[in-house]
Amino acid sequence: MESPFKTIRSGSFENGDIVWFPEGGLNASYNCVDRWAYTHPDKLLRGVSSTANILKAMGIKQGDTISDCKSRAIATKAIVDAALKECPEVEHVFVQRRTGNTVAWTEGRDKWWHEETLKVPNYCPPEVMSSEDPLFILYTSGSTGKPKGVVHTPAGYLLGAALTVKYVFDVHPEDKFACMADVGWITGHTYIVYGPLLNGVTTTVFESTPVYPTPSRYWQVVEKHQITHFYTAPTAIRLLRLLGSVGEPINPEAWDWYNEHVGKKQCAIVDTWWQTETGSIMITPFPGAIETKPGSATVPFFGIEPVILDPGNSVEGILCIRNPWPSIARMVWKDNNRYLDTYMRPYPGFFYTGDGVGCDEHGYIWIKGRVDDIINVSGHRLSTAEIESALIHHRGVAETAVTGISNNLTGQTVYAFVTLKPEFTYNPNDEGSLAKELILQVRKVIGPFAAPKKIIIVPDLPKTRSGKIMRRIMRKISAGEGDQLGDLNTLADPSVVGAIKAKVATSS
Ligand code: WTA
């Protein structure tokens, strides 16, 4: 079920024509499902085959893109119905019965999945695809701007997914792997679906939320299914301990908690850095082989060559990658099918990640957050993560998001948005004293120059569905540009924006 390649890699960032294994042919589904099913028969192959056959029966072929067409629950069906008002080209919606509730129905368009599967054969022979055919298009979270559709291709992407699951997570055939991400996010694609299946390992799809019906939900799943490997985002870890967030880099406190309470100090903890565009994990410890340091993603994965560019007068700068790796995304969908423009700018010849990083004396890499989130106060370069980390030490703080506002005198000043722990009590008419305590905290931990000019206590922070804090929203609102927030569709709960605007308007 494949044809051999001759060339390993060709093309460059400058020319935007990177390909891996160009003459090769393969089939993603065969590699993930069929070849395991023949030796360990189970239902997955039949399900995948019927799915393929239904799509074929509907005339869907290679290259067609389909709007979300499988509905998991009533809420999802309602969302799909609303979205389809704007997509008249969509002909059919396949609805899978999950909750048993009644759903709105458009006769002729909507079809029950279980009825359609009865009409098609149970087996679908895989077909050989070219190594550089599109495998999937994924829209980035939009935490840093307009979401863009990123295209991954089979050969290189599958290699990245398979290798990282094998070496970063050290999986063995009898293991039970659980990645608690949304399957619609890159983490879900690479580490719920492709990576574990390519390794023939049992994978877990979790559809609920980590706090329903109890905050122990994750650990109940681990116990019930005898999970051996658990992969999740810091947001979820912090949520479970009902403690605050410092942004996307995991703060050492959350790391220690994960180690002590979840892993009982018996588990390897891997803090993995990567992006939708990179397809698979890029910077990570290798369990048992690389000593970890809480808060650092440690060292590059095989073949990855990180460089820190524009370091100014310190070892901190912008993380770039020197050479293409197999699972790099190929292009931006429908944007004239251009290759990722991030390849090209602003450092020609390097892949630009947009993340600020530091490197310590042992060569360990410390991710500081998006460069748009780096603040420059009177010539001091500060990462939002650093200031947030200082604030989180205050006993009342649950989560914080720090942003920089331009200032004629100092370059930028620091605004800190803070949510409080539910059990923390204070006098709401005297937010001033709490703000003073928090400012003092930052002065103590980092220094006077880092002290926030404003502390804004808010009920909630704007986050994407994958749990990333969207600082650009706070930045715009603080800069008086609350009417130019752009696309808010990727927000988990758009209503928090109004509450933040109101709070900023009244805070002195
Ligand atoms: C951030 C998610 C610190 C980073 C897989 C990156 C991290 C962005 C880490 C990509 C980490 C991801 N430590 N920051 N271990 N992992 N990030 O495309 O800013 O949704 O650029 O992919 O998440 O987000 P994306």
Side-chain angles (χ1 to χ4, degrees), residues 141 185-187 248-249 271-277 353 355 367 370 468:
S141 62
W185 184 31
I186 187 72
T187 308
E248 293 64 53
D271 174 0
T272 58
W273 178 89
W274 58 295
Q275 302 180 306
T276 304
E277 293 86 342
T353 69
D355 280 341
I367 311 285
R370 307 290 309 167
K468 279 184 209 303

Side-chain angles (χ1 to χ4, degrees), residues 8-174:
I8 294 177
R9 186 189 104 196
S10 158
S12 67
F13 290 136
E14 287 95 327
N15 298 317
D17 55 354
I18 296 155
V19 291
W20 282 82
F21 315 111
E23 307 89 347
L26 76 169
N27 181 289
S29 187
Y30 173 82
N31 276 286
C32 289
V33 181
D34 302 44
R35 71 188 170 112
W36 304 111
Y38 298 143
T39 42
H40 307 281
D42 65 12
K43 288 206 296 212
L44 194 55
L45 178 59
R46 247 164 280 149
V48 170
S49 292
S50 332
T51 302
N53 284 329
I54 291 175
L55 297 180
K56 276 176 145 179
M58 292 291 164
I60 289 165
K61 19 177 227 321
Q62 185 184 12
D64 287 344
T65 54
I66 324 163
S67 301
D68 185 11
C69 60
K70 264 199 267 174
S71 174
R72 292 184 317 188
I74 184 166
T76 319
K77 175 74 166 71
I79 293 168
V80 170
D81 285 342
L84 289 190
K85 291 214 169 85
E86 287 165 41
C87 314
E89 68 281 7
V90 171
E91 291 166 25
H92 294 293
V93 176
F94 299 109
V95 187
Q96 197 162 49
R97 199 192 282 285
R98 295 289 286 160
T99 60
N101 285 330
T102 39
V103 291
W105 202 257
T106 305
E107 217 39 70
R109 185 197 70 179
D110 296 353
K111 295 186 180 295
W112 283 116
W113 192 255
H114 59 267
E115 290 174 5
E116 295 305 307
T117 52
L118 297 177
K119 301 181 191 162
V120 294
N122 270 346
Y123 179 72
C124 178
E127 288 178 28
V128 180
M129 301 289 135
S130 157
S131 59
E132 288 291 327
D133 278 336
L135 176 63
F136 60 77
I137 309 162
L138 201 64
Y139 282 79
T140 53
S141 62
S143 53
T144 55
K146 193 168 169 273
K148 58 173 187 275
V150 158
V151 178
H152 280 286
T153 60
Y157 171 82
L158 295 180
L159 178 62
L163 270 189
T164 47
V165 165
K166 187 169 157 72
Y167 291 106
V168 176
F169 299 115
D170 187 30
V171 292
H172 297 270
E174 64 287 358

Side-chain angles (χ1 to χ4, degrees), residues 201-278:
V201 164
T202 303
T203 185
T204 313
V205 185
F206 179 77
E207 290 184 298
S208 184
T209 87
V211 289
Y212 182 83
T214 82
S216 302
R217 191 65 202 279
Y218 275 169
W219 323 124
Q220 290 167 351
V221 171
V222 168
E223 213 167 26
K224 179 169 170 200
H225 298 286
Q226 300 287 297
I227 303 294
T228 55
H229 291 63
F230 189 83
Y231 188 37
T232 191
T235 318
I237 300 170
R238 289 188 294 257
L239 191 65
L240 286 164
R241 65 200 285 232
L242 290 174
L243 237 196
S245 158
V246 352
E248 293 64 53
I250 184 166
N251 47 317
E253 280 195 324
W255 196 102
D256 285 333
W257 182 88
Y258 206 22
N259 189 28
E260 261 174 49
H261 297 279
V262 184
K264 306 267 182 252
K265 297 193 178 165
Q266 305 284 307
C267 292
I269 297 199
V270 288
D271 174 0
T272 58
W273 178 89
W274 58 295
Q275 302 180 306
T276 304
E277 293 86 342
T278 73

Side-chain angles (χ1 to χ4, degrees), residues 341-371:
D341 56 351
T342 42
Y343 288 179
M344 263 77 81
R345 39 132 240 191
Y347 301 102
F350 293 97
F351 177 87
Y352 171 81
T353 69
D355 280 341
V357 288
C359 182
D360 69 17
E361 70 277 19
H362 301 116
Y364 276 41
I365 295 164
W366 296 75
I367 311 285
K368 307 275 172 177
R370 307 290 309 167
V371 269

Side-chain angles (χ1 to χ4, degrees), residues 274-455:
W274 58 295
Q275 302 180 306
T276 304
E277 293 86 342
T278 73
S280 57
I281 293 168
M282 301 285 280
I283 300 174
T284 175
F286 293 82
I290 296 288
E291 206 177 310
T292 48
K293 298 185 190 183
S296 169
T298 75
V299 297
F301 190 72
F302 305 142
I304 308 301
E305 299 176 64
V307 277
I308 301 181
L309 295 182
D310 192 19
N313 50 11
S314 68
V315 286
E316 291 188 9
I318 295 155
L319 177 64
C320 292
I321 317 283
R322 197 189 294 278
N323 279 312
W325 58 96
S327 63
I328 186 171
R330 297 299 189 265
M331 57 194 181
V332 182
W333 189 249
K334 293 226 170 127
D335 200 0
N336 295 328
N337 285 352
R338 264 190 313 112
Y339 275 65
L340 287 175
D341 56 351
T342 42
Y343 288 179
M344 263 77 81
R345 39 132 240 191
Y347 301 102
F350 293 97
F351 177 87
Y352 171 81
T353 69
D355 280 341
V357 288
C359 182
D360 69 17
E361 70 277 19
H362 301 116
Y364 276 41
I365 295 164
W366 296 75
I367 311 285
K368 307 275 172 177
R370 307 290 309 167
V371 269
D372 328 341
D373 299 336
I374 302 265
I375 303 176
N376 194 321
V377 188
S378 311
H380 295 275
R381 275 218 256 188
L382 293 158
S383 73
T384 53
E386 244 174 308
I387 306 175
E388 289 163 5
S389 212
L391 286 166
I392 212 97
H393 280 104
H394 186 279
R395 67 200 159 85
V397 174
E399 283 195 303
T400 100
V402 160
T403 181
I405 301 303
S406 33
N407 177 287
N408 291 341
L409 219 57
T410 56
Q412 282 180 302
T413 49
V414 175
Y415 279 28
F417 292 78
V418 171
T419 67
L420 299 173
K421 290 183 194 167
E423 69 272 19
F424 176 72
T425 47
Y426 76 109
N427 177 359
N429 298 322
D430 187 20
E431 277 183 4
S433 329
L434 179 60
K436 268 191 202 133
E437 273 180 41
L438 293 172
I439 292 168
L440 192 66
Q441 179 85 22
V442 179
R443 292 177 72 102
K444 261 195 331 219
V445 178
I446 307 176
F449 54 89
K453 181 154 175 259
K454 259 194 197 183
I455 302 272

